Amino acid sequence: MAVIEAGEYGMTFEEQLELLTNACVDLHTLPELREKLELGRPLRVKYGADPSAPDLHLGHSVPLRKLRQFQELGHQVVFIIGDFTGRIGDPSGRSKTRPMLTEEEIAANAQTYAEQVGRILDLSKCEIRYNSEWFGSMSASQMLEIATHYTVARMLERDDFALRLRDGVPITLIEMLYPLVQAYDSVAVEADIEIGGSDQLFNLLVGRDIMRAYGMTPQVVMTWPLLLGTDGKEKMSKSLGNYIGITEPPEEMYGKLMSIPDELMAQYYHLLLDMPRSQVEAMQRDLESGKLHPREAKANLARRIVSLYHGQDAAQRAAAEFDRVFAQRQKPTDMQPILLCADDINDGTIGIIELVVRAGFAKSNSEARRLIRQGAVRVQDRVIEDEMANIEVEEGAVLQVGKRRFGRITITRGDNEHGRKE
RNA sequence: GCAGGGGUGCCCGAGCGGUCAAAGGGAGCAGACUGUAAAUCUGCCGGCGAAUGCCUACGGGGGUUCGAAUCCUCCCCCCUGCACCA
């Protein structure tokens, strides 16, 4: 999974700089970065992870891929797991209380996290640190001392604090302390550089101040844009459901990538495939002039991204499958089974509503009924419009709901357990 | 602690005794159109039911009423201002 193509070694200094700063939004500061790189030693590049959300998506992959590049250039990645803060819990954001995590949960999350990160980074070369290492044994007075180095006014400069204050959304004190805690991590691990998403800019900059307060050379801060989600409107996030997980199967990933709005392609090429700006612009010109069909550009994008996580063969197969189902309107080669057993079948038939629910394509009978009324349900390519219809049960018969959900009837013998929990 | 303003469906938000499963928007789903894109248009969007309908739901408990999301009461939570304060 080469992040950097041929010629990665023996890159000139300027080439390295260009690679590392590609797509970067904030850089504090370029002269300092040069200076650090010129030291000629492996730099300590810090990245913080939140152990409460172990599911990684392509949005997370942006900084992670950047870390990978640092790694390839011989630098030391320092991965911080924020277990100390995670254990405290925090009513952060709007009104949702972030759950307190137990040690076991954090350990489990960290494990899941590591597995996923390992798909992008060479974990054997990462230094993984838990911040309870230094905070766990810290005295209250040491903790308070950290707080002497920052003012409330400066904390309120942070956009989301300012907005929440204005809108009357509560801000707890612990939230104010978080940036300091994160900043102190940089002191503890002696970070040379800290990278993150652009939403982290404030926290990363606090790190610089706190390091200075502790008599250290401030870390260089670099941030990358937050990747927009598949809806093209909001940043990619699991809770908004507009994400593409890095562990998703190739077909799924490919399909989701094909469904992004065209306007998003440039960003995805730039951030997820490291295409330099000049090339992105060239591509956009070709799209505008009609020299390049958007569909082609998107298919190429999807194939290349899927390749990163599943290899070229899988990406190729996903692409072929996609064309088969959507361009040629054929059925997918693999369909999820709809398990039915003798109990479910009356005189060789099953009610269409029950079938749709059983297949998992509707959460309730009402929903199934609606789908049928709307002409979304097909059995063996025939639209079923009568919600009372009984369907002949045949092994291998295909149920389709909407454009993309397919299931294949599979008859099982023996007692039926699914669907009737009592 | 005092005063005032709030808590409504997945989210935002209107309703302020019956006509409320609750306006409107967003999200979601489906249909049309397409490049499974976006945009647009149409429909759906608590559960059970073939259906008249029934059940559950407007922070929680109790009450008034023929009838409560709407009124009273207690409790919980949030916000704002004032007071208090190391």
Side-chain angles (χ1 to χ4, degrees):
Chain A
M1 197 205 313
V3 170
I4 303 167
E5 299 299 337
E8 54 194 279
Y9 299 111
M11 288 174 95
T12 68
F13 183 76
E14 286 308 316
E15 283 167 345
Q16 287 190 25
L17 203 58
E18 198 177 319
L19 173 71
L20 293 174
T21 56
N22 184 42
C24 162
V25 260
D26 298 291
L27 171 54
H28 293 259
T29 62
L30 181 59
E32 287 176 42
L33 178 61
R34 280 179 186 282
E35 218 170 282
K36 295 258 192 194
L37 287 170
E38 278 164 0
L39 292 174
R41 65 166 168 82
L43 297 175
R44 296 175 62 72
V45 186
K46 176 194 169 202
Y47 182 73
D50 174 1
S52 67
D55 270 318
L56 295 185
H57 54 60
L58 292 181
H60 299 111
S61 80
V62 174
L64 290 176
R65 285 171 54 73
K66 198 48 69 175
L67 287 176
R68 167 78 186 211
Q69 291 172 356
F70 273 104
Q71 214 170 35
E72 304 247 350
L73 292 169
H75 299 292
Q76 177 65 54
V77 169
V78 183
F79 217 90
I80 310 266
I81 309 264
D83 66 329
F84 179 72
T85 33
R87 263 210 305 266
I88 296 168
D90 160 38
S92 161
R94 306 286 101 163
S95 55
K96 298 232 164 65
T97 301
R98 188 152 112 193
M100 265 168 71
L101 299 173
T102 64
E103 265 179 70
E104 293 74 48
E105 284 170 322
I106 287 174
N109 286 352
Q111 179 64 34
T112 318
Y113 207 97
E115 276 161 24
Q116 296 175 63
V117 168
R119 294 173 185 242
I120 298 176
L121 292 176
D122 182 347
L123 277 183
S124 67
K125 291 186 189 154
C126 287
E127 180 178 321
I128 298 178
R129 306 284 288 274
Y130 290 80
N131 67 357
S132 58
E133 186 188 324
W134 45 91
F135 284 120
S137 58
M138 187 176 276
S139 70
S141 57
Q142 284 173 302
M143 192 60 153
L144 293 175
E145 197 220 315
I146 299 175
T148 63
H149 297 299
Y150 222 76
T151 66
V152 170
R154 294 211 57 193
M155 213 45 101
L156 286 173
E157 285 170 9
R158 202 171 99 172
D159 265 9
D160 63 314
F161 283 156
L163 288 175
R164 282 162 64 186
L165 196 63
R166 190 196 69 194
D167 297 341
V169 178
I171 303 168
T172 61
L173 284 174
I174 181 83
E175 287 180 81
M176 287 263 181
L177 292 175
Y178 262 70
L180 289 180
V181 167
Q182 186 176 333
Y184 187 80
D185 288 342
S186 295
V187 173
V189 302
E190 299 179 35
D192 289 301
I193 302 178
E194 179 163 10
I195 77 167
S198 58
D199 59 335
Q200 288 294 310
L201 178 64
F202 181 86
N203 292 350
L204 306 190
L205 290 176
V206 175
R208 281 168 65 84
D209 292 328
I210 297 301
M211 288 178 88
R212 241 184 238 116
Y214 281 84
M216 300 175 70
T217 309
Q219 61 187 1
V220 169
V221 162
M222 300 175 81
T223 71
W224 277 268
L226 296 179
L227 191 75
L228 289 176
T230 52
D231 59 357
K233 288 173 193 147
E234 310 240 32
K235 70 171 183 180
M236 185 173 283
S237 88
K238 195 178 179 193
S239 52
L240 291 171
N242 61 359
Y243 72 104
I244 303 174
I246 66 171
T247 58
E248 290 192 50
E251 296 74 28
E252 200 60 27
M253 211 181 233
Y254 190 94
K256 285 190 179 181
L257 284 164
M258 286 306 281
S259 77
I260 65 170
D262 289 357
E263 300 72 60
L264 227 49
M265 284 197 278
Q267 193 193 40
Y268 277 32
Y269 267 109
H270 197 38
L271 295 178
L272 298 176
L273 295 169
D274 294 301
M275 184 184 271
R277 186 161 293 287
S278 58
Q279 271 186 51
V280 174
E281 282 165 3
M283 182 188 75
Q284 283 178 306
R285 278 195 297 278
D286 286 349
L287 283 170
E288 271 167 46
S289 69
K291 193 170 153 195
L292 178 63
H293 193 289
R295 197 186 177 285
E296 292 312 309
K298 206 180 283 177
N300 179 52
L301 173 77
R303 200 158 15 77
R304 286 174 61 183
I305 293 174
V306 173
S307 296
L308 288 177
Y309 298 95
H310 297 285
Q312 294 205 348
D313 291 350
Q316 206 54 58
R317 278 197 301 277
E321 183 73 7
F322 182 86
D323 285 343
R324 183 186 153 80
V325 177
F326 295 106
Q328 296 164 39
R329 299 260 166 182
Q330 291 178 21
K331 293 183 180 54
T333 40
D334 290 321
M335 285 179 252
Q336 69 164 85
I338 305 167
L339 300 173
L340 299 177
C341 73
D343 284 358
D344 304 320
I345 304 164
N346 276 317
D347 296 331
T349 67
I350 183 169
I352 184 64
I353 292 178
E354 189 182 352
L355 183 62
V356 170
V357 172
R358 177 55 65 80
F361 296 153
K363 286 193 283 292
S364 64
N365 292 0
S366 301
E367 190 178 335
R369 187 170 286 130
R370 273 179 232 129
L371 288 166
I372 296 161
R373 287 179 183 167
Q374 291 177 122
V377 175
R378 287 163 204 263
V379 174
Q380 297 292 65
D381 294 320
R382 274 200 340 273
V383 176
I384 306 296
E385 283 167 319
D386 176 9
E387 61 196 73
M388 296 312 292
N390 286 309
I391 303 302
E392 299 274 324
V393 177
E394 273 173 68
E395 177 75 28
V398 174
L399 170 71
Q400 179 182 0
V401 173
K403 291 191 181 82
R404 62 174 74 185
R405 287 175 289 178
F406 294 88
R408 171 164 266 145
I409 291 176
T410 308
I411 300 168
T412 58
R413 57 220 111 253
D415 287 337
N416 167 33
E417 298 149 61
H418 29 265
R420 306 226 165 108
K421 277 180 248 148
E422 278 165 55

